[in-house]
Amino acid sequence: TQSPNPSWTYGQKVDATPAGKDWLAGESAGWNVYNTAEMDKANIRKLLNSGIAPRPMTIVSTISEDGVENLASFSWFNTVTDYPPVISFGINRNPAGRLKDTTRNLKNGQGFAVNIISEAFIENANAAAVDAPPDVDEWTLSGLTKEKCVRLHSLTRQRKRFSMECELYKSIDITHPVTGEHTSTLILAHVKYFHVRKDMLTGRGAVDLIKFKPVGRVGDISYARVGDTYRMPVPLWAQEEGKIQEALKTLAST
C-alpha cells in the first residue's frame, strides 16, 4: 500500500498533515527525562522494552557438551551486517546471577540455530521461555518439531518458515560501568545457512511478510503482529538532486 503521506515533499514539516498535527499536539503534555544512574533495573527495562519496539522475536536452539538440547526465546535480537552475515542477541543472566544454559552452550563450538517466530506458533515458543532446570526438555514441552541442520554437528533446528544455522562469531560480556557487575552477554552470530520455506518467498527472492507473519515484542508481555505494509524507496541523489535543490531554495527564501 502507499506510505502514510505519499504527497510529501522535501522540507515539509510534520504538521503539514492532520496525522502530523495530532502527533505534535501531544507535546503540550511535556516530557519526562530519566537519569538512568538514578533508576532501578525494573524501570530501565520497562522503558527499553516498550520504547524500542517492535523487536523481532527469535527462538534459539543449542546443545550442551553432554548432548542435552535447549530452546530459549529472545526479543533483544536483530541483524548487524550482511557481509559477513552477522546477527545479534543479548542474554541476561538469570535472577540468581548465573549464566543461562543458552549462554554456556553457545560457547562450546557446536553451533546453534536461530529461528524467527511466526504467529502460528507463538504460544509454543513462549513455552520454551520457562525458567526450567537444565534437565527439562523444552522441545517436548513446547510441542515444536525438530529438523536436522545441514552441517552444525548434531544440532537440530525448529521446522519453521525462516531459520538460520549459526556459529559463534564473538561473545561480549556486558558489565555495569560503575559496579562492574556482569549483567548480560551480547552474542554475535555468523549465519552459515539460511532455511527458508519456498512458499514464503516473493518473486524478487525476499521473504513475504504477509505469509511469514513474524511476531514482534512491544513491551512487558505484549506482542505485535505484522499488519499492512507499504513500500517507500530510499532517495537517490542522482535522481532527486533537482527536486532537493529546488526545495532548499524555496525553504531558504521563506
Side-chain angles (χ1 to χ4, degrees):
T1 62
Q2 288 186 322
S3 65
N5 183 16
S7 62
W8 185 89
T9 58
Y10 292 104
Q12 186 180 101
K13 301 295 185 182
V14 175
D15 62 3
T17 66
K21 289 179 180 178
D22 288 344
W23 173 259
L24 292 174
E27 292 188 351
S28 61
W31 298 81
N32 284 342
V33 179
Y34 300 91
N35 182 345
T36 59
E38 300 172 355
M39 297 173 68
D40 60 33
K41 295 179 182 178
N43 284 330
I44 291 175
R45 186 177 182 87
K46 184 186 300 180
L47 289 179
L48 285 173
N49 269 339
S50 58
I52 302 176
R55 300 185 309 281
M57 287 290 297
T58 185
I59 188 166
V60 177
S61 56
T62 59
I63 187 168
S64 72
E65 292 182 352
D66 298 328
V68 178
E69 295 180 344
N70 177 269
L71 279 178
S73 58
F74 298 95
S75 66
W76 298 68
F77 162 75
N78 221 310
T79 58
V80 176
T81 180
D82 60 355
Y83 191 77
V86 174
I87 58 177
S88 70
F89 51 97
I91 309 175
N92 290 330
R93 286 193 157 218
N94 65 24
R98 298 189 302 272
L99 289 178
K100 292 186 177 180
D101 298 333
T102 300
T103 310
R104 287 194 298 270
N105 294 349
L106 287 169
K107 297 181 179 182
N108 64 21
Q110 298 193 75
F112 49 97
V114 178
N115 312 275
I116 306 302
I117 298 173
S118 293
E119 190 172 21
F121 53 86
I122 179 60
E123 286 85 1
N124 305 74
N126 187 55
V130 65
D131 55 343
D135 59 343
V136 172
D137 183 359
E138 286 99 350
W139 281 100
T140 301
L141 183 68
S142 69
L144 294 170
T145 305
K146 299 177 183 179
E147 286 285 339
K148 283 291 184 182
C149 287
V150 173
R151 64 178 292 272
L152 297 180
H153 305 283
S154 59
L155 185 68
T156 54
R157 63 182 178 85
Q158 161 59 16
R159 186 190 293 171
K160 291 189 171 71
R161 296 173 177 177
F162 187 96
S163 62
M164 296 164 281
E165 291 185 40
C166 301
E167 290 181 342
L168 183 64
Y169 181 80
K170 183 176 291 187
S171 66
I172 304 171
D173 290 337
I174 306 298
T175 58
H176 194 283
V178 176
T179 67
E181 179 187 3
H182 176 196
T183 58
S184 60
T185 301
L186 173 64
I187 299 297
L188 299 180
H190 183 194
V191 179
K192 305 296 288 188
Y193 291 91
F194 292 104
H195 296 261
V196 187
R197 228 171 65 178
K198 291 181 180 180
D199 63 331
M200 292 296 103
L201 294 172
T202 68
R204 301 185 306 275
V207 176
D208 187 330
L209 289 179
I210 303 304
K211 294 179 180 178
F212 187 23
K213 297 185 184 302
V215 173
R217 190 77 179 269
V218 290
D220 58 67
I221 57 172
S222 298
Y223 298 82
R225 58 173 57 95
V226 173
D228 294 334
T229 61
Y230 49 85
R231 295 173 63 77
M232 194 163 55
V234 176
L236 296 176
W237 182 264
Q239 298 176 1
E240 300 290 309
E241 180 181 3
K243 293 180 183 178
I244 293 173
Q245 296 289 15
E246 182 178 349
L248 291 174
K249 291 179 182 178
T250 301
L251 291 169
S253 63
T254 58

PDB file of all heavy atoms in Angstrom, residues 60 62-64 70 72 74 89-94 98-109 112 168 171-174 182-187:
ATOM      1  N   VAL A  60      16.113 -19.759  19.962  1.00  0.00           N
ATOM      2  CA  VAL A  60      17.460 -20.264  19.699  1.00  0.00           C
ATOM      3  C   VAL A  60      17.574 -21.681  20.243  1.00  0.00           C
ATOM      4  O   VAL A  60      17.247 -21.938  21.405  1.00  0.00           O
ATOM      5  CB  VAL A  60      18.524 -19.356  20.351  1.00  0.00           C
ATOM      6  CG1 VAL A  60      19.922 -19.921  20.131  1.00  0.00           C
ATOM      7  CG2 VAL A  60      18.425 -17.938  19.795  1.00  0.00           C
ATOM      8  N   THR A  62      20.140 -24.775  21.056  1.00  0.00           N
ATOM      9  CA  THR A  62      21.546 -25.084  21.311  1.00  0.00           C
ATOM     10  C   THR A  62      21.640 -26.504  21.867  1.00  0.00           C
ATOM     11  O   THR A  62      20.635 -27.143  22.171  1.00  0.00           O
ATOM     12  CB  THR A  62      22.156 -24.104  22.338  1.00  0.00           C
ATOM     13  OG1 THR A  62      21.417 -24.190  23.566  1.00  0.00           O
ATOM     14  CG2 THR A  62      22.129 -22.681  21.825  1.00  0.00           C
ATOM     15  N   ILE A  63      22.879 -26.981  22.012  1.00  0.00           N
ATOM     16  CA  ILE A  63      23.112 -28.304  22.572  1.00  0.00           C
ATOM     17  C   ILE A  63      24.333 -28.231  23.484  1.00  0.00           C
ATOM     18  O   ILE A  63      25.325 -27.579  23.158  1.00  0.00           O
ATOM     19  CB  ILE A  63      23.301 -29.359  21.455  1.00  0.00           C
ATOM     20  CG1 ILE A  63      23.379 -30.766  22.041  1.00  0.00           C
ATOM     21  CG2 ILE A  63      24.507 -29.051  20.592  1.00  0.00           C
ATOM     22  CD1 ILE A  63      23.283 -31.854  20.982  1.00  0.00           C
ATOM     23  N   SER A  64      24.234 -28.855  24.652  1.00  0.00           N
ATOM     24  CA  SER A  64      25.322 -28.812  25.612  1.00  0.00           C
ATOM     25  C   SER A  64      26.418 -29.802  25.223  1.00  0.00           C
ATOM     26  O   SER A  64      26.238 -30.642  24.331  1.00  0.00           O
ATOM     27  CB  SER A  64      24.809 -29.136  27.016  1.00  0.00           C
ATOM     28  OG  SER A  64      24.492 -30.522  27.113  1.00  0.00           O
ATOM     29  N   ASN A  70      18.614 -27.569  24.142  1.00  0.00           N
ATOM     30  CA  ASN A  70      17.967 -26.471  24.855  1.00  0.00           C
ATOM     31  C   ASN A  70      17.291 -25.532  23.867  1.00  0.00           C
ATOM     32  O   ASN A  70      17.795 -25.308  22.763  1.00  0.00           O
ATOM     33  CB  ASN A  70      19.017 -25.705  25.680  1.00  0.00           C
ATOM     34  CG  ASN A  70      18.438 -24.503  26.400  1.00  0.00           C
ATOM     35  OD1 ASN A  70      18.439 -23.397  25.869  1.00  0.00           O
ATOM     36  ND2 ASN A  70      17.935 -24.717  27.601  1.00  0.00           N
ATOM     37  N   ALA A  72      15.388 -21.562  23.797  1.00  0.00           N
ATOM     38  CA  ALA A  72      15.141 -20.331  24.541  1.00  0.00           C
ATOM     39  C   ALA A  72      14.741 -19.239  23.560  1.00  0.00           C
ATOM     40  O   ALA A  72      15.304 -19.144  22.467  1.00  0.00           O
ATOM     41  CB  ALA A  72      16.383 -19.911  25.328  1.00  0.00           C
ATOM     42  N   PHE A  74      14.133 -15.129  22.520  1.00  0.00           N
ATOM     43  CA  PHE A  74      14.763 -13.837  22.782  1.00  0.00           C
ATOM     44  C   PHE A  74      14.105 -12.749  21.947  1.00  0.00           C
ATOM     45  O   PHE A  74      13.742 -12.967  20.790  1.00  0.00           O
ATOM     46  CB  PHE A  74      16.260 -13.875  22.434  1.00  0.00           C
ATOM     47  CG  PHE A  74      17.053 -14.856  23.251  1.00  0.00           C
ATOM     48  CD1 PHE A  74      17.303 -16.132  22.770  1.00  0.00           C
ATOM     49  CD2 PHE A  74      17.539 -14.506  24.500  1.00  0.00           C
ATOM     50  CE1 PHE A  74      18.019 -17.043  23.517  1.00  0.00           C
ATOM     51  CE2 PHE A  74      18.261 -15.413  25.255  1.00  0.00           C
ATOM     52  CZ  PHE A  74      18.504 -16.685  24.770  1.00  0.00           C
ATOM     53  N   PHE A  89      22.058 -11.121  19.504  1.00  0.00           N
ATOM     54  CA  PHE A  89      21.030 -11.161  20.539  1.00  0.00           C
ATOM     55  C   PHE A  89      21.705 -11.084  21.898  1.00  0.00           C
ATOM     56  O   PHE A  89      22.860 -11.497  22.075  1.00  0.00           O
ATOM     57  CB  PHE A  89      20.119 -12.397  20.423  1.00  0.00           C
ATOM     58  CG  PHE A  89      20.824 -13.716  20.328  1.00  0.00           C
ATOM     59  CD1 PHE A  89      21.015 -14.505  21.455  1.00  0.00           C
ATOM     60  CD2 PHE A  89      21.273 -14.197  19.095  1.00  0.00           C
ATOM     61  CE1 PHE A  89      21.644 -15.734  21.357  1.00  0.00           C
ATOM     62  CE2 PHE A  89      21.901 -15.428  18.997  1.00  0.00           C
ATOM     63  CZ  PHE A  89      22.093 -16.193  20.131  1.00  0.00           C
ATOM     64  N   GLY A  90      20.981 -10.488  22.842  1.00  0.00           N
ATOM     65  CA  GLY A  90      21.511 -10.315  24.183  1.00  0.00           C
ATOM     66  C   GLY A  90      20.874 -11.296  25.145  1.00  0.00           C
ATOM     67  O   GLY A  90      19.668 -11.539  25.087  1.00  0.00           O
ATOM     68  N   ILE A  91      21.688 -11.864  26.034  1.00  0.00           N
ATOM     69  CA  ILE A  91      21.203 -12.842  27.002  1.00  0.00           C
ATOM     70  C   ILE A  91      21.496 -12.327  28.403  1.00  0.00           C
ATOM     71  O   ILE A  91      22.665 -12.227  28.807  1.00  0.00           O
ATOM     72  CB  ILE A  91      21.873 -14.215  26.804  1.00  0.00           C
ATOM     73  CG1 ILE A  91      21.775 -14.662  25.337  1.00  0.00           C
ATOM     74  CG2 ILE A  91      21.244 -15.247  27.725  1.00  0.00           C
ATOM     75  CD1 ILE A  91      22.526 -15.954  25.053  1.00  0.00           C
ATOM     76  N   ASN A  92      20.447 -11.983  29.131  1.00  0.00           N
ATOM     77  CA  ASN A  92      20.634 -11.552  30.510  1.00  0.00           C
ATOM     78  C   ASN A  92      20.969 -12.746  31.398  1.00  0.00           C
ATOM     79  O   ASN A  92      20.559 -13.880  31.115  1.00  0.00           O
ATOM     80  CB  ASN A  92      19.370 -10.869  31.042  1.00  0.00           C
ATOM     81  CG  ASN A  92      19.132  -9.530  30.389  1.00  0.00           C
ATOM     82  OD1 ASN A  92      20.069  -8.848  29.981  1.00  0.00           O
ATOM     83  ND2 ASN A  92      17.872  -9.138  30.281  1.00  0.00           N
ATOM     84  N   ARG A  93      21.694 -12.487  32.466  1.00  0.00           N
ATOM     85  CA  ARG A  93      21.927 -13.549  33.452  1.00  0.00           C
ATOM     86  C   ARG A  93      20.608 -13.867  34.157  1.00  0.00           C
ATOM     87  O   ARG A  93      19.710 -13.031  34.218  1.00  0.00           O
ATOM     88  CB  ARG A  93      22.978 -13.112  34.457  1.00  0.00           C
ATOM     89  CG  ARG A  93      24.389 -13.111  33.877  1.00  0.00           C
ATOM     90  CD  ARG A  93      25.441 -12.977  34.958  1.00  0.00           C
ATOM     91  NE  ARG A  93      26.716 -13.529  34.462  1.00  0.00           N
ATOM     92  CZ  ARG A  93      27.558 -14.221  35.202  1.00  0.00           C
ATOM     93  NH1 ARG A  93      27.263 -14.489  36.453  1.00  0.00           N
ATOM     94  NH2 ARG A  93      28.683 -14.669  34.702  1.00  0.00           N
ATOM     95  N   ASN A  94      20.477 -15.072  34.683  1.00  0.00           N
ATOM     96  CA  ASN A  94      19.247 -15.420  35.370  1.00  0.00           C
ATOM     97  C   ASN A  94      19.180 -14.694  36.712  1.00  0.00           C
ATOM     98  O   ASN A  94      20.165 -14.098  37.164  1.00  0.00           O
ATOM     99  CB  ASN A  94      19.108 -16.941  35.538  1.00  0.00           C
ATOM    100  CG  ASN A  94      20.166 -17.546  36.444  1.00  0.00           C
ATOM    101  OD1 ASN A  94      20.732 -16.874  37.292  1.00  0.00           O
ATOM    102  ND2 ASN A  94      20.434 -18.824  36.267  1.00  0.00           N
ATOM    103  N   ARG A  98      23.514 -16.421  37.632  1.00  0.00           N
ATOM    104  CA  ARG A  98      24.264 -17.454  36.914  1.00  0.00           C
ATOM    105  C   ARG A  98      24.058 -17.322  35.408  1.00  0.00           C
ATOM    106  O   ARG A  98      23.069 -16.763  34.940  1.00  0.00           O
ATOM    107  CB  ARG A  98      23.831 -18.849  37.366  1.00  0.00           C
ATOM    108  CG  ARG A  98      24.088 -19.141  38.842  1.00  0.00           C
ATOM    109  CD  ARG A  98      23.826 -20.625  39.140  1.00  0.00           C
ATOM    110  NE  ARG A  98      22.466 -20.995  38.783  1.00  0.00           N
ATOM    111  CZ  ARG A  98      21.433 -20.893  39.603  1.00  0.00           C
ATOM    112  NH1 ARG A  98      21.595 -20.395  40.823  1.00  0.00           N
ATOM    113  NH2 ARG A  98      20.228 -21.276  39.225  1.00  0.00           N
ATOM    114  N   LEU A  99      25.009 -17.872  34.641  1.00  0.00           N
ATOM    115  CA  LEU A  99      24.844 -17.922  33.200  1.00  0.00           C
ATOM    116  C   LEU A  99      23.671 -18.819  32.846  1.00  0.00           C
ATOM    117  O   LEU A  99      23.457 -19.860  33.471  1.00  0.00           O
ATOM    118  CB  LEU A  99      26.110 -18.467  32.529  1.00  0.00           C
ATOM    119  CG  LEU A  99      27.344 -17.582  32.508  1.00  0.00           C
ATOM    120  CD1 LEU A  99      28.501 -18.325  31.851  1.00  0.00           C
ATOM    121  CD2 LEU A  99      27.082 -16.278  31.778  1.00  0.00           C
ATOM    122  N   LYS A 100      22.908 -18.425  31.834  1.00  0.00           N
ATOM    123  CA  LYS A 100      21.822 -19.271  31.376  1.00  0.00           C
ATOM    124  C   LYS A 100      22.389 -20.419  30.535  1.00  0.00           C
ATOM    125  O   LYS A 100      23.501 -20.340  30.007  1.00  0.00           O
ATOM    126  CB  LYS A 100      20.821 -18.446  30.576  1.00  0.00           C
ATOM    127  CG  LYS A 100      20.053 -17.435  31.421  1.00  0.00           C
ATOM    128  CD  LYS A 100      18.970 -16.732  30.625  1.00  0.00           C
ATOM    129  CE  LYS A 100      18.173 -15.793  31.512  1.00  0.00           C
ATOM    130  NZ  LYS A 100      17.101 -15.086  30.771  1.00  0.00           N
ATOM    131  N   ASP A 101      21.597 -21.483  30.397  1.00  0.00           N
ATOM    132  CA  ASP A 101      22.046 -22.643  29.632  1.00  0.00           C
ATOM    133  C   ASP A 101      22.450 -22.244  28.217  1.00  0.00           C
ATOM    134  O   ASP A 101      23.454 -22.727  27.691  1.00  0.00           O
ATOM    135  CB  ASP A 101      20.933 -23.694  29.573  1.00  0.00           C
ATOM    136  CG  ASP A 101      20.561 -24.221  30.951  1.00  0.00           C
ATOM    137  OD1 ASP A 101      21.427 -24.194  31.830  1.00  0.00           O
ATOM    138  OD2 ASP A 101      19.412 -24.653  31.128  1.00  0.00           O
ATOM    139  N   THR A 102      21.664 -21.358  27.606  1.00  0.00           N
ATOM    140  CA  THR A 102      21.956 -20.946  26.225  1.00  0.00           C
ATOM    141  C   THR A 102      23.335 -20.314  26.130  1.00  0.00           C
ATOM    142  O   THR A 102      24.098 -20.606  25.204  1.00  0.00           O
ATOM    143  CB  THR A 102      20.888 -19.957  25.724  1.00  0.00           C
ATOM    144  OG1 THR A 102      19.603 -20.582  25.754  1.00  0.00           O
ATOM    145  CG2 THR A 102      21.179 -19.518  24.301  1.00  0.00           C
ATOM    146  N   THR A 103      23.673 -19.448  27.084  1.00  0.00           N
ATOM    147  CA  THR A 103      24.975 -18.775  27.051  1.00  0.00           C
ATOM    148  C   THR A 103      26.120 -19.784  27.120  1.00  0.00           C
ATOM    149  O   THR A 103      27.094 -19.687  26.360  1.00  0.00           O
ATOM    150  CB  THR A 103      25.099 -17.783  28.221  1.00  0.00           C
ATOM    151  OG1 THR A 103      23.941 -16.941  28.256  1.00  0.00           O
ATOM    152  CG2 THR A 103      26.334 -16.916  28.059  1.00  0.00           C
ATOM    153  N   ARG A 104      26.009 -20.737  28.015  1.00  0.00           N
ATOM    154  CA  ARG A 104      27.056 -21.758  28.124  1.00  0.00           C
ATOM    155  C   ARG A 104      27.153 -22.586  26.851  1.00  0.00           C
ATOM    156  O   ARG A 104      28.248 -22.859  26.344  1.00  0.00           O
ATOM    157  CB  ARG A 104      26.769 -22.680  29.323  1.00  0.00           C
ATOM    158  CG  ARG A 104      27.025 -22.041  30.673  1.00  0.00           C
ATOM    159  CD  ARG A 104      27.061 -23.109  31.758  1.00  0.00           C
ATOM    160  NE  ARG A 104      25.774 -23.791  31.852  1.00  0.00           N
ATOM    161  CZ  ARG A 104      24.784 -23.399  32.641  1.00  0.00           C
ATOM    162  NH1 ARG A 104      24.933 -22.327  33.396  1.00  0.00           N
ATOM    163  NH2 ARG A 104      23.655 -24.080  32.686  1.00  0.00           N
ATOM    164  N   ASN A 105      26.009 -22.993  26.319  1.00  0.00           N
ATOM    165  CA  ASN A 105      26.007 -23.853  25.134  1.00  0.00           C
ATOM    166  C   ASN A 105      26.559 -23.151  23.900  1.00  0.00           C
ATOM    167  O   ASN A 105      27.215 -23.773  23.056  1.00  0.00           O
ATOM    168  CB  ASN A 105      24.585 -24.342  24.845  1.00  0.00           C
ATOM    169  CG  ASN A 105      24.047 -25.255  25.921  1.00  0.00           C
ATOM    170  OD1 ASN A 105      24.780 -25.698  26.792  1.00  0.00           O
ATOM    171  ND2 ASN A 105      22.752 -25.522  25.871  1.00  0.00           N
ATOM    172  N   LEU A 106      26.305 -21.862  23.790  1.00  0.00           N
ATOM    173  CA  LEU A 106      26.763 -21.117  22.617  1.00  0.00           C
ATOM    174  C   LEU A 106      28.281 -21.103  22.501  1.00  0.00           C
ATOM    175  O   LEU A 106      28.832 -20.975  21.404  1.00  0.00           O
ATOM    176  CB  LEU A 106      26.255 -19.667  22.685  1.00  0.00           C
ATOM    177  CG  LEU A 106      24.767 -19.437  22.424  1.00  0.00           C
ATOM    178  CD1 LEU A 106      24.383 -18.019  22.800  1.00  0.00           C
ATOM    179  CD2 LEU A 106      24.415 -19.717  20.974  1.00  0.00           C
ATOM    180  N   LYS A 107      28.957 -21.246  23.625  1.00  0.00           N
ATOM    181  CA  LYS A 107      30.412 -21.116  23.643  1.00  0.00           C
ATOM    182  C   LYS A 107      31.144 -22.445  23.482  1.00  0.00           C
ATOM    183  O   LYS A 107      32.370 -22.477  23.525  1.00  0.00           O
ATOM    184  CB  LYS A 107      30.840 -20.445  24.950  1.00  0.00           C
ATOM    185  CG  LYS A 107      30.313 -19.021  25.112  1.00  0.00           C
ATOM    186  CD  LYS A 107      30.781 -18.390  26.406  1.00  0.00           C
ATOM    187  CE  LYS A 107      30.291 -16.962  26.555  1.00  0.00           C
ATOM    188  NZ  LYS A 107      30.784 -16.312  27.793  1.00  0.00           N
ATOM    189  N   ASN A 108      30.393 -23.547  23.266  1.00  0.00           N
ATOM    190  CA  ASN A 108      31.061 -24.851  23.225  1.00  0.00           C
ATOM    191  C   ASN A 108      31.497 -25.275  21.818  1.00  0.00           C
ATOM    192  O   ASN A 108      32.003 -26.380  21.623  1.00  0.00           O
ATOM    193  CB  ASN A 108      30.181 -25.932  23.860  1.00  0.00           C
ATOM    194  CG  ASN A 108      28.878 -26.166  23.109  1.00  0.00           C
ATOM    195  OD1 ASN A 108      28.755 -25.847  21.936  1.00  0.00           O
ATOM    196  ND2 ASN A 108      27.885 -26.730  23.801  1.00  0.00           N
ATOM    197  N   GLY A 109      31.280 -24.407  20.824  1.00  0.00           N
ATOM    198  CA  GLY A 109      31.779 -24.680  19.479  1.00  0.00           C
ATOM    199  C   GLY A 109      30.934 -25.622  18.644  1.00  0.00           C
ATOM    200  O   GLY A 109      31.322 -25.977  17.522  1.00  0.00           O
ATOM    201  N   PHE A 112      24.693 -23.402  16.617  1.00  0.00           N
ATOM    202  CA  PHE A 112      23.341 -23.247  17.134  1.00  0.00           C
ATOM    203  C   PHE A 112      22.439 -22.777  15.995  1.00  0.00           C
ATOM    204  O   PHE A 112      22.910 -22.363  14.929  1.00  0.00           O
ATOM    205  CB  PHE A 112      23.307 -22.251  18.302  1.00  0.00           C
ATOM    206  CG  PHE A 112      24.026 -20.949  18.034  1.00  0.00           C
ATOM    207  CD1 PHE A 112      23.350 -19.819  17.613  1.00  0.00           C
ATOM    208  CD2 PHE A 112      25.409 -20.865  18.210  1.00  0.00           C
ATOM    209  CE1 PHE A 112      24.009 -18.635  17.371  1.00  0.00           C
ATOM    210  CE2 PHE A 112      26.094 -19.677  17.970  1.00  0.00           C
ATOM    211  CZ  PHE A 112      25.393 -18.559  17.544  1.00  0.00           C
ATOM    212  N   LEU A 168      29.268 -19.214  16.494  1.00  0.00           N
ATOM    213  CA  LEU A 168      29.597 -18.051  17.313  1.00  0.00           C
ATOM    214  C   LEU A 168      30.681 -17.219  16.633  1.00  0.00           C
ATOM    215  O   LEU A 168      31.758 -17.721  16.320  1.00  0.00           O
ATOM    216  CB  LEU A 168      30.070 -18.498  18.694  1.00  0.00           C
ATOM    217  CG  LEU A 168      30.391 -17.375  19.683  1.00  0.00           C
ATOM    218  CD1 LEU A 168      29.148 -16.571  20.012  1.00  0.00           C
ATOM    219  CD2 LEU A 168      31.012 -17.941  20.954  1.00  0.00           C
ATOM    220  N   SER A 171      31.448 -13.359  21.487  1.00  0.00           N
ATOM    221  CA  SER A 171      30.598 -13.095  22.647  1.00  0.00           C
ATOM    222  C   SER A 171      31.237 -11.987  23.460  1.00  0.00           C
ATOM    223  O   SER A 171      32.456 -11.972  23.656  1.00  0.00           O
ATOM    224  CB  SER A 171      30.406 -14.353  23.503  1.00  0.00           C
ATOM    225  OG  SER A 171      31.626 -14.747  24.099  1.00  0.00           O
ATOM    226  N   ILE A 172      30.427 -11.053  23.910  1.00  0.00           N
ATOM    227  CA  ILE A 172      30.918  -9.882  24.636  1.00  0.00           C
ATOM    228  C   ILE A 172      30.186  -9.804  25.969  1.00  0.00           C
ATOM    229  O   ILE A 172      28.959  -9.626  26.002  1.00  0.00           O
ATOM    230  CB  ILE A 172      30.697  -8.590  23.832  1.00  0.00           C
ATOM    231  CG1 ILE A 172      31.362  -8.686  22.443  1.00  0.00           C
ATOM    232  CG2 ILE A 172      31.220  -7.375  24.598  1.00  0.00           C
ATOM    233  CD1 ILE A 172      31.006  -7.553  21.520  1.00  0.00           C
ATOM    234  N   ASP A 173      30.910  -9.965  27.055  1.00  0.00           N
ATOM    235  CA  ASP A 173      30.302  -9.829  28.374  1.00  0.00           C
ATOM    236  C   ASP A 173      30.032  -8.356  28.659  1.00  0.00           C
ATOM    237  O   ASP A 173      30.926  -7.509  28.532  1.00  0.00           O
ATOM    238  CB  ASP A 173      31.224 -10.400  29.456  1.00  0.00           C
ATOM    239  CG  ASP A 173      31.320 -11.913  29.386  1.00  0.00           C
ATOM    240  OD1 ASP A 173      30.397 -12.536  28.837  1.00  0.00           O
ATOM    241  OD2 ASP A 173      32.333 -12.464  29.874  1.00  0.00           O
ATOM    242  N   ILE A 174      28.788  -8.061  29.021  1.00  0.00           N
ATOM    243  CA  ILE A 174      28.391  -6.695  29.342  1.00  0.00           C
ATOM    244  C   ILE A 174      28.477  -6.505  30.852  1.00  0.00           C
ATOM    245  O   ILE A 174      27.832  -7.224  31.616  1.00  0.00           O
ATOM    246  CB  ILE A 174      26.950  -6.403  28.863  1.00  0.00           C
ATOM    247  CG1 ILE A 174      26.812  -6.722  27.364  1.00  0.00           C
ATOM    248  CG2 ILE A 174      26.585  -4.953  29.151  1.00  0.00           C
ATOM    249  CD1 ILE A 174      27.697  -5.904  26.465  1.00  0.00           C
ATOM    250  N   HIS A 182      28.654  -8.210  36.088  1.00  0.00           N
ATOM    251  CA  HIS A 182      28.409  -8.849  34.797  1.00  0.00           C
ATOM    252  C   HIS A 182      26.913  -9.122  34.688  1.00  0.00           C
ATOM    253  O   HIS A 182      26.384 -10.005  35.351  1.00  0.00           O
ATOM    254  CB  HIS A 182      29.206 -10.148  34.686  1.00  0.00           C
ATOM    255  CG  HIS A 182      28.946 -10.909  33.434  1.00  0.00           C
ATOM    256  ND1 HIS A 182      29.307 -12.235  33.277  1.00  0.00           N
ATOM    257  CD2 HIS A 182      28.344 -10.550  32.261  1.00  0.00           C
ATOM    258  CE1 HIS A 182      28.950 -12.652  32.091  1.00  0.00           C
ATOM    259  NE2 HIS A 182      28.360 -11.651  31.457  1.00  0.00           N
ATOM    260  N   THR A 183      26.226  -8.350  33.853  1.00  0.00           N
ATOM    261  CA  THR A 183      24.763  -8.411  33.801  1.00  0.00           C
ATOM    262  C   THR A 183      24.220  -9.225  32.634  1.00  0.00           C
ATOM    263  O   THR A 183      23.126  -9.782  32.721  1.00  0.00           O
ATOM    264  CB  THR A 183      24.176  -6.993  33.717  1.00  0.00           C
ATOM    265  OG1 THR A 183      24.716  -6.330  32.547  1.00  0.00           O
ATOM    266  CG2 THR A 183      24.552  -6.182  34.954  1.00  0.00           C
ATOM    267  N   SER A 184      24.945  -9.270  31.524  1.00  0.00           N
ATOM    268  CA  SER A 184      24.431  -9.956  30.341  1.00  0.00           C
ATOM    269  C   SER A 184      25.573 -10.266  29.381  1.00  0.00           C
ATOM    270  O   SER A 184      26.712  -9.843  29.597  1.00  0.00           O
ATOM    271  CB  SER A 184      23.363  -9.115  29.635  1.00  0.00           C
ATOM    272  OG  SER A 184      23.911  -7.869  29.219  1.00  0.00           O
ATOM    273  N   THR A 185      25.233 -10.987  28.319  1.00  0.00           N
ATOM    274  CA  THR A 185      26.215 -11.330  27.294  1.00  0.00           C
ATOM    275  C   THR A 185      25.631 -11.011  25.920  1.00  0.00           C
ATOM    276  O   THR A 185      24.507 -11.418  25.611  1.00  0.00           O
ATOM    277  CB  THR A 185      26.580 -12.824  27.350  1.00  0.00           C
ATOM    278  OG1 THR A 185      27.102 -13.123  28.651  1.00  0.00           O
ATOM    279  CG2 THR A 185      27.630 -13.164  26.311  1.00  0.00           C
ATOM    280  N   LEU A 186      26.387 -10.264  25.132  1.00  0.00           N
ATOM    281  CA  LEU A 186      25.990  -9.976  23.760  1.00  0.00           C
ATOM    282  C   LEU A 186      26.585 -11.043  22.857  1.00  0.00           C
ATOM    283  O   LEU A 186      27.796 -11.271  22.859  1.00  0.00           O
ATOM    284  CB  LEU A 186      26.483  -8.598  23.331  1.00  0.00           C
ATOM    285  CG  LEU A 186      26.282  -8.236  21.848  1.00  0.00           C
ATOM    286  CD1 LEU A 186      24.801  -8.162  21.494  1.00  0.00           C
ATOM    287  CD2 LEU A 186      26.976  -6.907  21.522  1.00  0.00           C
ATOM    288  N   ILE A 187      25.725 -11.697  22.092  1.00  0.00           N
ATOM    289  CA  ILE A 187      26.158 -12.737  21.175  1.00  0.00           C
ATOM    290  C   ILE A 187      26.124 -12.212  19.743  1.00  0.00           C
ATOM    291  O   ILE A 187      25.096 -11.705  19.279  1.00  0.00           O
ATOM    292  CB  ILE A 187      25.251 -13.978  21.280  1.00  0.00           C
ATOM    293  CG1 ILE A 187      25.306 -14.566  22.689  1.00  0.00           C
ATOM    294  CG2 ILE A 187      25.635 -15.019  20.237  1.00  0.00           C
ATOM    295  CD1 ILE A 187      26.663 -15.074  23.107  1.00  0.00           C
TER     296      ILE A 187
END
